[in-house]
Amino acid sequence: MPEPVSALPAALQREMAALLGDGWRTDPGERLTYGFDNSRREALPDAVALPRDADCVQALVKACRRHGVPLVARGRGTNTTGAAVPVAGGVVVSFERMDRILGIRAGDRCAVVEPGVLNGDLQSALAPHGLFWPPDPTSAGYSTVGGNLACNAGGPRAVKYGASRDNVLALTAVTGTGDLIRCGSATTKGATGYDLQRLLVGSEGTLALIVEATLRLAPAPAARRAIRALYRDVASAARAVARLMAQPVTPSMLEFMDHHAVRLARDVGGADLPGDAGALLMIEADGDGATLAHDVEALMEAARGDGLVSLDAAGDEAARARLWAARKALSPALRTLAPGKINEDVVVPVSRIPELVDGVQALAARSRLPIVCFGHAGNGNLHVNLMYDPADDAQRAHATSAMAEVFALAISLGGTLSGEHGIGLAKRDFIPRAIDAPTLALMRAIKAQFDPDGILNPGKLLPP
Amino acid sequence: MPEPVSALPAALQREMAALLGDGWRTDPGERLTYGFDNSRREALPDAVALPRDADCVQALVKACRRHGVPLVARGRGTNTTGAAVPVAGGVVVSFERMDRILGIRAGDRCAVVEPGVLNGDLQSALAPHGLFWPPDPTSAGYSTVGGNLACNAGGPRAVKYGASRDNVLALTAVTGTGDLIRCGSATTKGATGYDLQRLLVGSEGTLALIVEATLRLAPAPAARRAIRALYRDVASAARAVARLMAQPVTPSMLEFMDHHAVRLARDVGGADLPGDAGALLMIEADGDGATLAHDVEALMEAARGDGLVSLDAAGDEAARARLWAARKALSPALRTLAPGKINEDVVVPVSRIPELVDGVQALAARSRLPIVCFGHAGNGNLHVNLMYDPADDAQRAHATSAMAEVFALAISLGGTLSGEHGIGLAKRDFIPRAIDAPTLALMRAIKAQFDPDGILNPGKLLPP
């Protein structure tokens, strides 16, 4: 039998092994697989816990609190900010065994789930009821609802349906004291006490561990159609975005690519795009089959304007897939620019997109690094990709300082650090630029009420 | 010159008179007019402050904190729970002089306002931009945006567009320490730190005083049409509500009246309603003129089913007004039942409406008091009106105990105390039935971080 090499107190280890059985893991190899996330950061936890229910989570937190051991909640580690990396060691709490859908109530437009259910599995279970849960991060197939809630995950559909925070009714969670709290109710309206459930959403496991969620569902649209609009330049496309958001038909997706992204998708990705396109919008409408044509026409009308180069609506799903090909070709093509990428998801008011893209391009010129912008234009949520060679010290330094300038630019335009990825470790030190001192002090004070000993995901979100 | 009879320390009075000029009022007659709200409760404040800007509010709060004097934020006093009544004396802070619309940005779908602007004045200013702010309480013409936010006001449109909390992007507020905090950003997505702005919404002035709000706007629909559906009984109508909410076309309003309400609207209000109608739904669709007919047909199809007595769609605005006449006739007709009314706005999951209405009618029989239910069925948010004679001690006692049973019933059905009116004084003592002890303890702890001396609206929302 291999000796445990974990640094945890033996008493805690014995207690947890008794509580969790094979859901308590201390083997170094296994711990390693729970120590990283999609930020490419990693750290070795002292143990991994796989609780089966809320009682287990409470017992686990109380025991860790007694021993002063940190806890890091984990869905499937898809987040991009290091929020799931156990930088202070301690116990990673993986919710993979709490993955049940406890109820789907179509007439109430809600579902009750455990945190470990995969977003994609939930969508599959909802489909026969004609319902869906709006958050659709790229990782939907393999990220958990609990992780989506912890990070306030969004995705393209957020422009019409909102992000995770907009689609939660109630949460049950275990605080850093091991108390079970029940926040909100399974109703679409509520004015009873303080709204703690939306406070927990986006708190990245620093306030409490979510053990059950009552989710707000939306009726699944019967049909959807995509439109591809190409513009002479970014400014023309950005003006079109503002027109699209000022008219009554809200698109179900409104995605943007700057001229670098368009060129990459064409030259490297092989997408069918004309040479004079300086910016691209992918616009999608969803709704009833009988009214969709009208909605598509309204969106096309709003897309028309100075600088429009071409406008195509997909006639069917195959044509829709062809239109989306340019967007899908982009991520692999990016890698041809440089081996390293810093992908930041700053957000600005929609009307400030041109200034953001202009500022980023001026910065690219100054720092001599390629910067490619694309993302969820309808929310002003752009993914700014700084491409660099991590093996080149000068480039790495330029990339790091350029990233800081991108944040400063977004904030100066009335925006903020993150639209949907969150803060984690990656943006933690920039929080004081986005949040002023009294507000940040209040956030720390609130954190101390949920987690007086600071054992929940220490080092994340709030700067030290 | 009349001597001030206020109980406030003379030093505070001098300081505030110097700061606020004629915006500092201590005349007893004038104070009286700021001491009540629509709950019919009243209490005399020691002074009334009419600040002109956030700096004034900060100075006021800091001075009151030094002297341990309570502050009660006030919009126009339309709330129904006593939340604006200064039961502990102190200073009522009326925001009537902070009523400017600071900006309307159509492309960003947002408006920046001071808290004292009237909801109706904001809607008028937004109309030329083709936008509106979704909250539409009955009081919209004469209630303030700040008051709407403080109480998380809803209204019929919430079924499609959400309530106040769903339609705020950022808030600037002054805490009980006099600190100015800036929460959120003017973007429709955000994953940057804890969501304090939605925590402030519905906190009834107990955490901070809102001095500026950035509101999320929705595009104004070009057209709307109403449908009136009459059912044999409440159960049939409730099943129709569940069908309506399970299909893709979300109604822009979905209002319910029980058989007492229908009878009153007909016999007393003079509405044109058949004698065999045991429940009524008013269903409204809004959208583009070209697609509205389809949406209306989809809603009518969902409204059809067992127990339907009649189904009418309005052809034009005049017909729409005729259909709504029954709903509008109701409030005056209620007064014929008894001089006193307790109007509670409990909320339950939509599928539990039949049990709520059945339980309430059983309670009416037991307590020998008429109870009339109507309200926002699409959100499960019913207004339960207990009618009684306040001059009759026995009736008053019955009404009070019946109210407690209504709350217990709503909670047992998975609902909660209030959907849109809030807690204030009226429901404060029932909070421990709706919110369990650890969660309530956390709410108190959070309150203490915003307001360590407990000077902001003491006695409200949280039970002593």
Side-chain angles (χ1 to χ4, degrees), chain A residues 108-109 152 165 182 188-192 194-195 206 245 250 288 294 350-351 379 381 418 420 439 449, chain B residues 108-109 152 165 182 188-192 194-195 206 245 250 288 294 350-351 379 381 418 420 439 449:
Chain A
D108 295 332
R109 288 191 180 182
N152 194 21
R165 187 178 284 129
R182 297 172 195 278
T188 51
K189 257 185 184 173
T192 306
Y194 301 148
D195 188 325
T206 63
M245 294 309 293
T250 300
D288 190 277
H294 169 272
V350 165
S351 64
N379 290 113
N381 180 205
S418 174
E420 57 182 12
T439 313
Q449 307 315 305
Chain B
D108 296 331
R109 289 191 178 179
N152 194 21
R165 186 177 286 128
R182 297 172 196 277
T188 51
K189 258 186 184 172
T192 306
Y194 300 148
D195 189 325
T206 63
M245 294 310 292
T250 300
D288 191 275
H294 169 272
V350 165
S351 63
N379 291 113
N381 181 205
S418 174
E420 58 182 12
T439 314
Q449 307 315 304

Side-chain angles (χ1 to χ4, degrees), chain A residues 51-94:
Chain A
R52 289 201 183 272
D53 57 33
D55 287 346
C56 271
V57 176
Q58 281 194 273
L60 173 63
V61 173
K62 286 178 179 172
C64 283
R65 189 183 184 205
R66 279 196 304 275
H67 293 282
V69 169
L71 294 128
V72 181
R74 182 180 181 86
R76 294 291 174 103
T78 59
N79 92 73
T80 62
T81 67
V85 176
V87 285
V91 179
V92 165
V93 187
S94 170

Side-chain angles (χ1 to χ4, degrees), chain A residues 5-304:
Chain A
V5 295
S6 165
L8 295 179
L12 176 65
Q13 297 211 44
R14 280 194 302 273
E15 189 182 346
M16 288 302 102
L19 176 75
L20 294 161
D22 76 338
W24 178 251
R25 309 284 174 84
T26 55
D27 175 76
E30 204 160 8
R31 285 188 273 143
L32 193 65
T33 63
Y34 289 89
F36 62 89
D37 68 14
N38 196 28
S39 70
R40 304 189 182 190
R41 288 169 175 83
E42 58 179 309
L44 190 66
D46 296 307
V48 178
L50 311 175
R52 289 201 183 272
D53 57 33
D55 287 346
C56 271
V57 176
Q58 281 194 273
L60 173 63
V61 173
K62 286 178 179 172
C64 283
R65 189 183 184 205
R66 279 196 304 275
H67 293 282
V69 169
L71 294 128
V72 181
R74 182 180 181 86
R76 294 291 174 103
T78 59
N79 92 73
T80 62
T81 67
V85 176
V87 285
V91 179
V92 165
V93 187
S94 170
F95 285 98
E96 62 201 75
R97 291 182 172 181
M98 290 176 66
D99 64 346
R100 287 179 303 164
I101 297 171
L102 302 172
I104 295 171
R105 308 204 307 254
D108 295 332
R109 288 191 180 182
C110 77
V112 183
V113 303
E114 290 184 327
V117 66
L118 297 186
N119 180 313
D121 289 349
L122 174 63
Q123 309 294 1
S124 301
L126 294 173
H129 300 271
L131 294 165
F132 71 105
W133 190 50
D136 61 336
T138 308
S139 62
Y142 42 93
S143 65
T144 66
V145 169
N148 295 166
L149 291 169
C151 297
N152 194 21
R157 276 197 303 236
V159 65
K160 179 168 179 176
Y161 295 100
S164 295
R165 187 178 284 129
D166 304 306
N167 291 288
V168 61
L169 301 176
L171 293 176
T172 304
V174 176
T175 67
T177 59
D179 282 321
L180 191 79
I181 58 170
R182 297 172 195 278
C183 319
S185 57
T187 55
T188 51
K189 257 185 184 173
T192 306
Y194 301 148
D195 188 325
L196 301 188
Q197 67 274 21
R198 287 179 186 79
L199 183 65
L200 291 183
V201 176
S203 68
E204 303 182 359
T206 63
L207 298 179
L209 308 184
I210 296 167
V211 293
E212 187 181 298
T214 303
L215 305 173
R216 180 175 181 264
L217 306 177
R224 58 185 179 178
R225 272 182 77 193
I227 303 161
R228 193 182 73 187
L230 293 165
Y231 296 87
R232 186 179 57 222
D233 50 33
V234 165
S236 308
R239 283 194 300 271
V241 170
R243 286 196 303 275
L244 283 156
M245 294 309 293
Q247 56 82 47
V249 177
T250 300
S252 53
M253 299 188 185
L254 177 44
E255 299 290 297
F256 165 85
M257 286 165 55
D258 76 359
H259 55 291
H260 289 299
V262 171
R263 189 185 54 73
L264 274 176
R266 183 184 61 231
D267 294 351
V268 185
D272 169 33
L273 292 166
D276 55 348
L280 177 153
L281 295 181
M282 282 297 304
I283 311 162
E284 203 162 281
D286 68 14
D288 190 277
T291 58
L292 194 60
H294 169 272
D295 291 347
V296 167
E297 188 39 57
L299 292 170
M300 290 180 78
E301 185 53 36
R304 288 184 187 103

